[in-house]
Each structure stands twice: as C-alpha cells, then as structure tokens.
Amino acid sequence: MTQPNTDDPERLAPLAGAGPAVGAVRREAFAALIAGAPVDADELARAADLPRANVEHAIVQLHAGGALELDPDGRVTGAHGLTHRQTQHAIVTPQRTWHTWCALDAVGIHAALGLDAEVHTRCPTCAAVIVLVTRSGTAIAPHDTEPMLWLPGTPCAHVMNDFCAAANLFCNREHLEVWRARAANPPGAAVTLTQAEDQGRRVWADVSMLDREIGPSGPEADHGDPSS
C-alpha cells in the first residue's frame, strides 16, 4: 500500500511552488469561513495586508487547483477544507455546524483548533453515519469500534476532485478493505484516528492559533443533516 505525501493535501501538485500570498489568502479565507461568512477579494486583501492584485492571483491559483470555492459573485465560500456547501462531512457544536470537503478535514480541523464538538460523516461501505465525540481536539470513537481513515495516493491535479473525493472515514478496517477491493485497490494509506488527528495538527497549524471568535457568540451556521 503506497504511503501518499499528505503532510498537507492542499500543497500537493496543484499548488507546488505557490507564493506566500497563496498561504495568506487560504489562511484568511479559512478564518472568515470559521466565523461563518463568505469573503471577497477586498476583504482578504485587507485581512492579509496584501495588494488586491496579489490576492486575486492567489485566488485564481487556489481555485484552479481545487483548493478554493467561489460563488457566482466571486466570494470565497470554501477554503482549507471548510465549505459553505452541505456535505456528508461536518464538525458540529450546539451553536453551529461547519461542513468540510472530506473526512480528513473534519477530523483534522477539530484537532488543530482543539474543539469540543462532534464529527459527523458516513462510511462509504455500509452507509452508516459515524459520529465521533471530540474533547479538546481529541476524538472518542464509538464503543468497541476502530474507525479508519483512507488517504488517497493517486496523482492530484485538483484537491477536491482527486484527493477529497476519496478521503473518507470507515467504520473499521474491514469496511475499508471491502471498499478498496470494490475500487480496484487504489494506491493510498489507511490511518487511525490518532494518526489523522496528528496529521490535522500539522496541516492546519497555520490556523490553529486564530484569535477569532468561534464559540457561541458567533453567527450560527446551517444545521442541516451532514449525512445527506
């Protein structure tokens, strides 16, 4: 089984050699999304203290590589794993729900931010909803289970399509292996929750110390069923 280079899925092939503005835009877009609002180029330029032209170029790079989502008005609605779209992966608190591009995002972001929350996702093999209770960024697996996360190792030209589409959490290793057999044994790596959280703390280290209000007083996000 090939071990993919996934220290940061959003620094794979699509963003190789990207300039510092790309990291700054991604970080500030994440900060806006975690606070509950889409963000435009002018707001990102002010937050990152960068010329608008640099920000616009970074947005084009990120969007082309599948590492940024835009609405019809050009506002950023998805970045660094967070999205305003309702997906089957979510971080849920009593105050709000954040949807993510993949299961690694949901597991990794809560770990990096040290959240008390629940991670909601769905096993691709049996379609069961998996709910992980997290305390201070550490997930507690359901009783007598050992969920496994799959990290794709295929070439990545578009983060959401080539990596996130298959970065899923499975009920257990058996369900993961059933899925792999059905998918013709794609390259990649199976990791435990602890390993996924450790990776998340590295991937989202750039936003782990955000001094933004992400608790009960912030704007409340959509609480639709994350498994739909």
Side-chain angles (χ1 to χ4, degrees):
M1 190 180 296
T2 303
Q3 175 65 47
N5 177 16
T6 53
D7 279 347
D8 185 340
E10 295 188 30
R11 293 197 184 102
L12 296 175
L15 302 180
V22 166
V25 166
R26 185 178 63 168
R27 182 175 61 252
E28 295 302 334
F30 180 96
L33 294 170
I34 204 78
V39 63
D40 62 24
D42 286 330
E43 292 166 322
L44 287 171
R46 289 194 294 271
D49 194 21
L50 290 171
R52 181 188 168 98
N54 294 32
V55 168
E56 289 176 337
H57 183 65
I59 288 173
V60 169
Q61 283 185 278
L62 287 161
H63 187 250
L68 200 79
E69 291 180 274
L70 300 172
D71 69 11
D73 296 322
R75 295 178 302 175
V76 177
T77 58
H80 213 349
L82 288 180
T83 177
H84 271 215
R85 287 185 295 110
Q86 186 168 307
T87 71
Q88 65 177 355
H89 316 287
I91 303 167
V92 180
T93 71
Q95 293 78 34
R96 66 181 70 188
T97 293
W98 295 284
H99 288 276
T100 68
W101 290 337
C102 68
L104 174 62
D105 298 330
V107 171
I109 290 169
H110 89 75
L113 298 183
L115 298 179
D116 291 342
E118 290 181 349
V119 170
H120 290 203
T121 187
R122 188 183 291 274
C123 175
T125 299
C126 69
V129 174
I130 301 172
V131 178
L132 308 174
V133 176
T134 76
R135 293 290 179 266
S136 300
T138 299
I140 303 168
H143 183 63
D144 291 334
T145 66
E146 188 179 356
M148 298 294 294
L149 183 72
W150 177 252
L151 300 179
T154 52
C156 181
H158 190 281
V159 172
M160 283 183 282
N161 292 344
D162 299 335
F163 183 88
C164 292
N168 289 307
L169 190 68
F170 294 79
C171 294
N172 49 48
R173 184 176 290 276
E174 179 183 0
H175 284 197
L176 189 154
E177 293 302 331
V178 168
W179 170 84
R180 285 193 73 230
R182 291 174 180 170
N185 295 313
V191 299
T192 66
L193 278 178
T194 298
Q195 291 170 324
E197 289 170 344
D198 288 344
Q199 181 158 309
R201 294 182 185 102
R202 296 193 300 273
V203 172
W204 285 275
D206 59 337
V207 294
S208 63
M209 299 303 290
L210 284 174
D211 58 348
R212 315 296 170 100
E213 176 58 60
I214 62 173
S217 63
E220 195 163 322
D222 173 31
H223 283 266
D225 180 3
S227 64
S228 62

